[in-house]
Amino acid sequence: MNKTQLLEKNIRALVKDGKTLDLEYFVILDELNFAALLQAVRHHAETVFAYRINAAQGAGRDYRSQELFSGRATQLYSCLAPFSDSDIGVVRTLELWLLEDFSFAVVANMQVILGEGAIMSEYRVVKTCEFSEIHTEIPINLTDFARNLRDMCRDYEKAGLPSYEL
């Protein structure tokens, strides 16, 4: 099985376990160009850190802690967690990451934003990497998820992102 087929298999398995009455995501997934999605996933892959500080120029120094995963990952989906408080600049999200081996990880991300965005602090912790626990850890809107994947494909197809040897 090649990487494109493995990516498609794992995404279809993920949505198969979801519970929704909105079936628009089936149509979107059937029209997806998984080869383009694989290229977009590779292009957007990043090193994910357990703790990170991003500071605007002159506001401080950027910081990176140890890596959360051994290798690069691509965020496919995120949603606000119930403990958001925009009044004080704290936002908690749950994120679905695609790892290099095409498995998934659910990650909790706590962001603290200071000085009107001059400094952003992020703390991430892995909630689960077990496939069977994904839907209990993160409420995935399957239609929004499928739309995110479609948008990633369009980024690759229309924006002229580079092609990678995979």
Side-chain angles (χ1 to χ4, degrees), residues 6-15 69 74 76 95-107 126 128-131 134 140 145 149:
L6 183 59
L7 175 65
E8 181 176 2
K9 175 184 168 244
N10 288 351
I11 287 175
R12 289 191 184 279
L14 178 69
V15 300
F69 309 115
T74 304
L76 296 182
E95 304 167 336
L96 180 67
W97 288 84
L98 179 68
L99 307 181
E100 282 186 331
D101 65 355
F102 299 103
S103 63
F104 298 99
V106 176
V107 173
V126 176
T128 189
C129 289
E130 293 297 322
F131 193 84
I134 290 174
I140 300 173
F145 176 67
L149 298 178

Side-chain angles (χ1 to χ4, degrees), residues 51-69:
Y51 184 70
R52 176 174 84 174
I53 295 175
N54 289 337
Q57 187 173 13
R61 186 177 211 85
D62 289 352
Y63 174 80
R64 306 293 184 261
S65 71
Q66 76 270 9
E67 296 177 7
L68 194 59
F69 309 115

